[in-house]
Amino acid sequence: MDIHPTYSYPDGLDKRPPREVRQQAVRGAGPLRWLWRLLLTAVLLALLVAAAWVLSNLQDADPAPRPAALLLPAPKLSPERNAAYALMGLNAAADRDAAQLGRETQAVQTRLGQQWSDALSPADRSALMTAANAEIDALRGTSLPQPRDEPWRCDELENDCVSQVLAQADALVQQRQSVAVVGARCDALMGNTAPVSAFAFEEVLPTVWYPAVHLAGHIDNAALCGRWFRTAAVLALRQGRKEEAIRQLSRDNQLLRGLLAGSHTLIATQVSQSLLRLHMAVVSGMVLQDRTLAVSLLPLLAPWDSPEAVARRWVVAESAHAQGAVLGVARDPAEAPVEPFNDAQPQWLQPLQRAAYWAQRYHLGWHPQRTVQLMDAQALAMLTDIDQGLPQALAAARQADAAVGTADAWRHLLRWWRNPFGRFYAETAKAAYVPCMARALDLELHREAARLALNAMQQAVAPAERASWAQQQTLSAPLRERLAWSAGGDTLTVRTWSADLHGPAPQQSARDLITIVLERAKAG
């Protein structure tokens, strides 16, 4: 017997009983239902992961004492003996005492650091800096002008500045007259009579480290003194006064050696190293003009502070600087290292940047104490690597950025789980030190190469025999591997450590190669 009731359906409609229709609809909706369940599960998992991340990133680490190896050394020179203050005030008005002005300027900077407190808003701090700069300008008076054109401003690493100065000597004499007051101060700084003076220099470090701290206030004027001595040497050579040329180059050498030995911060060290390379380019260029100078100028290429000793100093100073910057952000969340957004970035990235900014403002994933301790650990590891030799430290730093294997993926994920913004800050700073180590090694390569070239010119080695002669000399392994001679033996080139960082890409600048010309171009 048919137990189903009888229905009357319009034409074209499903005439099956309603239960069968519903069952088929449920069966048809199965894949869609599973899809919704899967999506809901993924959302719940994401929320759980986000909640776990938030909970694990709420609490910063407790403050810890700084490692003894990273403590800055106490000053060795009194302010009265330290030439750094005279360099700070070198280009002050003619009626000012340069050293006294330098000490007064540093006092203003120290007071600014002491006023950089938690209670001040960013606007208040900006006003403090404006007032400090105005006070320094008033103390300085009208700054003395400097020439802006060649031949005074000539890049010795990319140009034959010795020949250029010799060809434009009259113009250079006029340019030097415009900086005669500064030049006289440079002469007094190095001693007006002795061939080489005892130049006592130690970089003045801030007593309070904060994000906007002013560093290496001496360095621009030190570069000005170096240019004053080098141009005086070339002009003396043009006039046939070889002893005076040697004396001026010796002053430049003593100045730059003192700067390198007394530098602590990375910026002061890097500029000192660059100035020494400019100095060596002029030494080589002057011997190219007059080979009898080689004997007297070779002592200027004697070893200076080892790259390892120099690197240890700036690692310690950079650690102090990083601590001041990170804890300064902790005092004022508005100074978080990630900006809210950048109009130049893609539109889809701006919400992520804004989220990162606000997270850092409220220390969510940005732990200042944990970041400082991470950077201290990185600095200690760098010091350990440097003790094995700077080439080894450079190799270790480059390998640290290599891709990790699958087996290590979870371990590295966990490292970035807590304090990701702080770790990003630390890793970015660490990566920036790699080219700095390479440039320090470039300086030593340049010194060895310049000595080799001067010895070849002093011994009158024939151009065609220089390559074989060089193989018989006592050379470091890096120089032996990297040097090359031109086909005629007229030019010595050395591939730098910095060039290795570029890989197989074309040379980025003339500084990627150390080029020393040993034969003057023949006329016609």
Side-chain angles (χ1 to χ4, degrees), residues 4 33 54 83 101 172 204 259-260 264 286 347 380 389 433 461 477:
H4 296 292
R33 175 179 295 180
V54 169
L101 173 61
L172 179 61
V204 179
L259 290 178
L260 183 64
H264 289 279
M286 289 184 63
Q347 198 73 21
L380 290 174
Y433 298 148
V461 180

Side-chain angles (χ1 to χ4, degrees), residues 147-411:
R148 300 291 180 182
D149 303 320
E150 296 180 347
W152 173 263
R153 287 192 175 273
C154 180
D155 189 337
E156 289 92 340
L157 289 183
E158 299 194 13
N159 301 284
D160 181 3
C161 292
V162 174
S163 297
Q164 185 173 332
V165 167
L166 293 174
Q168 303 178 46
D170 293 339
L172 179 61
V173 168
Q174 293 181 357
Q175 289 176 323
R176 282 173 56 84
Q177 288 174 351
S178 68
V179 290
V181 173
V182 172
R185 288 171 174 167
C186 294
D187 291 336
L189 195 64
M190 302 307 296
N192 289 309
T193 55
V196 177
S197 69
F199 177 61
F201 169 84
E202 183 178 19
E203 183 180 0
V204 179
L205 297 176
T207 56
V208 179
W209 296 80
Y210 56 98
V213 66
H214 182 69
L215 300 174
H218 66 279
I219 204 66
D220 288 339
N221 290 335
L224 180 59
C225 277
R227 195 169 296 281
W228 174 261
F229 296 137
R230 291 193 297 275
T231 53
V234 180
L235 287 176
L237 177 64
R238 183 177 185 271
Q239 297 165 359
R241 298 184 298 140
K242 295 183 183 181
E243 292 300 322
E244 177 63 14
I246 294 169
R247 187 172 79 96
Q248 294 292 345
L249 276 184
S250 298
R251 283 178 164 183
D252 187 37
N253 189 272
Q254 187 74 4
L255 168 72
L256 301 182
R257 283 176 182 272
L259 290 178
L260 183 64
S263 292
H264 289 279
T265 62
L266 181 58
I267 182 173
T269 301
Q270 294 275 283
V271 175
S272 300
Q273 291 169 339
S274 297
L275 293 175
L276 275 167
R277 291 195 62 189
L278 300 181
H279 170 80
M280 290 187 287
V282 172
V283 168
S284 301
M286 289 184 63
V287 174
L288 179 62
Q289 297 292 331
D290 187 340
R291 302 195 177 209
T292 63
L293 293 172
V295 176
S296 299
L297 296 184
L298 266 171
L300 302 184
L301 302 178
W304 31 69
D305 279 12
S306 70
E308 290 76 18
V310 172
R312 286 189 66 88
R313 287 197 295 269
W314 66 251
V315 167
V316 172
E318 282 300 298
S319 176
H321 191 191
Q323 182 192 42
V326 171
L327 297 184
V329 171
R331 290 192 298 268
D332 186 358
E335 294 180 6
V338 174
E339 294 296 331
F341 59 89
N342 185 343
D343 292 337
Q345 297 288 352
Q347 198 73 21
W348 62 268
L349 189 59
Q350 292 185 12
L352 297 179
Q353 287 182 304
R354 187 181 293 275
Y357 173 78
W358 284 103
Q360 289 175 87
R361 283 204 64 173
Y362 297 101
H363 293 180
L364 184 61
W366 166 247
H367 299 163
Q369 290 294 341
R370 187 168 278 115
T371 302
V372 166
Q373 293 166 25
L374 170 61
M375 299 184 80
D376 283 350
Q378 291 177 340
L380 290 174
M382 286 181 64
L383 292 178
T384 300
D385 292 336
I386 289 170
D387 287 340
Q388 307 303 315
L390 200 58
Q392 291 78 4
L394 175 60
R398 296 185 68 185
Q399 291 171 2
D401 293 333
V404 297
T406 305
D408 294 331
W410 283 107
R411 179 170 60 86

Side-chain angles (χ1 to χ4, degrees), residues 406-428:
T406 305
D408 294 331
W410 283 107
R411 179 170 60 86
H412 284 269
L413 177 62
L414 291 176
R415 289 174 59 199
W416 283 84
W417 175 261
R418 178 174 287 183
N419 188 32
F421 299 118
R423 181 168 288 276
F424 176 78
Y425 183 89
E427 295 293 341
T428 301

